[in-house]
Amino acid sequence: MAAENKPEGVHAREDSVAARDGLAANRALWKDLAEFHGTDPGDRSYDVQAFLAGGQTLRGIERELAGDVAGKDLLHLQCHFGMDTLNWARLGARVTGVDFSSKAIARARTLAERAGLVAEFVEADTQRLPDALAGRFDLVVATYGVLSWIGDLGAWMGGAATALRPGGRLVVVDLHPVFQTVLTFDPFVADWPYGGGTPQHDAMTGTYAHVEAPAEPKKSSQYPYSVGEIVTAAASAGLVVERLGEHTETETDGRHILPQGPDGLYRFPFSDTYLLILYSLSAALPPAPDGHPGDPACAVGHGAAWQTPRDDSKS
């Protein structure tokens, strides 16, 4: 049967409706997750009591890439209910966390009060950041379970770039696209595309943080991006890639499918080597030509992306 021919405007409207529907479904899912995460003793990912007692949730990779954050303005994208954001504050940063879930933002503000830490939390779609955040930050950070929830990768990168001051840096640490293709380790099953950005619709039951979470199935839309697509999006947003790392080991396994080695690290044995688990990206916004702070949108050359629709995950 021949493919249905539709005017270009019809396809654009359909894509726009699909993007809005996907965003709405993801927001509803993450509202439920924000209500549940960190509230049950069986939670495998979010130990709120340990955090309140001074426990550090940040991993070595992001801390190394970010460097010394003391006295710096740091924007944490897709901050969930704020534990990692507040740990950046413990390291001396002036922090702002952004998440599209109103429940997550409310919990983050409460957690900050309980921990006695100063932080700003903003409810917003990370594909459409508020203008008030433009040009304010030395660092933009996003970690673990981030870009697979983003329908418009270019808009996300453009927003991150516009939030930076000239000379500021973006730090991303996320699940490697190779690892995201894998459903189970034993038996080995791969069931997800590598890249392309085509929406993958699913009904998620429960949560990665708790095997027995009392959550009803929720629709979700996720988007597979290759490493090449991610780096290209960063470059297209006017960022200069300083470092790209691909990692075969991790301190914690957020998906809870990997074996833990005698050294405490998690790896994915694959033939006589290991499968990639994480990637890390550090990219900088070039300094203004005159050496002074300038208009962030002009420095990026990507101001339109700031206004482009989108999203969260973890952190």
Side-chain angles (χ1 to χ4, degrees):
M1 185 175 181
E4 183 179 0
N5 293 319
K6 296 182 181 179
E8 185 174 336
V10 172
H11 283 295
R13 286 195 296 274
E14 289 177 347
D15 289 345
S16 178
V17 169
R20 288 198 303 271
D21 289 348
L23 177 61
N26 288 344
R27 183 179 280 116
L29 168 67
W30 282 96
K31 174 182 179 294
D32 283 0
L33 296 181
E35 288 177 341
F36 185 75
H37 284 167
T39 64
D40 187 276
D43 194 304
R44 301 179 295 178
S45 297
Y46 302 98
D47 190 337
V48 172
Q49 293 309 311
F51 163 77
L52 291 172
Q56 179 60 251
T57 61
L58 301 174
R59 307 181 199 177
I61 297 175
E62 59 263 34
R63 291 183 64 174
E64 178 187 352
L65 287 179
D68 183 4
V69 300
K72 294 184 178 179
D73 293 302
L74 184 149
L75 177 64
H76 183 194
L77 298 179
Q78 292 161 248
C79 68
H80 202 27
F81 67 95
M83 283 177 58
D84 281 2
T85 315
L86 294 170
N87 269 304
W88 288 114
R90 279 183 173 156
L91 295 175
R94 293 183 294 270
V95 299
T96 300
V98 175
D99 197 276
F100 71 164
S101 165
S102 58
K103 180 63 179 180
I105 292 300
R107 283 197 64 194
R109 290 169 178 162
T110 299
L111 188 62
E113 291 178 6
R114 293 178 66 191
L117 294 166
V118 176
E120 178 184 3
F121 288 100
V122 177
E123 180 186 344
D125 175 3
T126 55
Q127 293 169 139
R128 198 179 184 91
L129 292 174
D131 291 339
L133 298 180
R136 281 181 47 187
F137 299 95
D138 304 301
L139 280 166
V140 174
V141 176
T143 53
Y144 307 107
V146 181
L147 295 182
S148 65
W149 296 97
I150 302 301
D152 189 335
L153 183 60
W156 190 95
M157 285 291 183
T162 307
L164 289 168
R165 298 182 175 118
R169 292 188 302 118
L170 168 67
V171 170
V172 178
V173 183
D174 209 347
L175 301 183
H176 198 286
V178 166
F179 186 43
Q180 288 181 311
T181 67
V182 176
L183 177 65
T184 59
F185 165 68
D186 188 14
F188 178 81
V189 177
D191 72 340
W192 226 55
Y194 181 89
T198 302
Q200 306 296 304
H201 304 296
D202 198 2
M204 292 183 62
T205 303
T207 165
Y208 57 88
H210 200 303
V211 291
E212 297 178 355
E216 295 297 321
K218 284 280 187 181
K219 293 181 180 178
S220 70
S221 294
Q222 295 191 61
Y223 307 86
Y225 297 110
S226 68
V227 170
E229 288 165 334
I230 293 164
V231 171
T232 298
S236 297
L239 297 168
V240 177
V241 175
E242 299 176 322
R243 175 175 166 182
L244 174 66
E246 297 180 287
H247 310 278
T248 58
E249 57 190 41
T250 178
E251 297 168 35
T252 58
D253 173 24
R255 295 184 62 192
H256 309 287
I257 65 172
L258 297 177
Q260 187 176 20
D263 58 359
L265 298 177
Y266 295 86
R267 297 177 180 85
F268 196 127
F270 188 73
S271 185
D272 59 351
T273 184
Y274 297 102
L275 200 70
L276 292 164
I277 300 172
L278 302 174
Y279 74 90
S280 58
L281 172 72
S282 175
L285 183 66
D290 59 2
H292 298 288
D295 177 0
C298 293
V300 174
H302 205 282
W306 187 261
Q307 301 299 330
T308 310
R310 162 205 267 216
D311 212 18
D312 175 20
S313 166
K314 193 247 177 189
S315 264

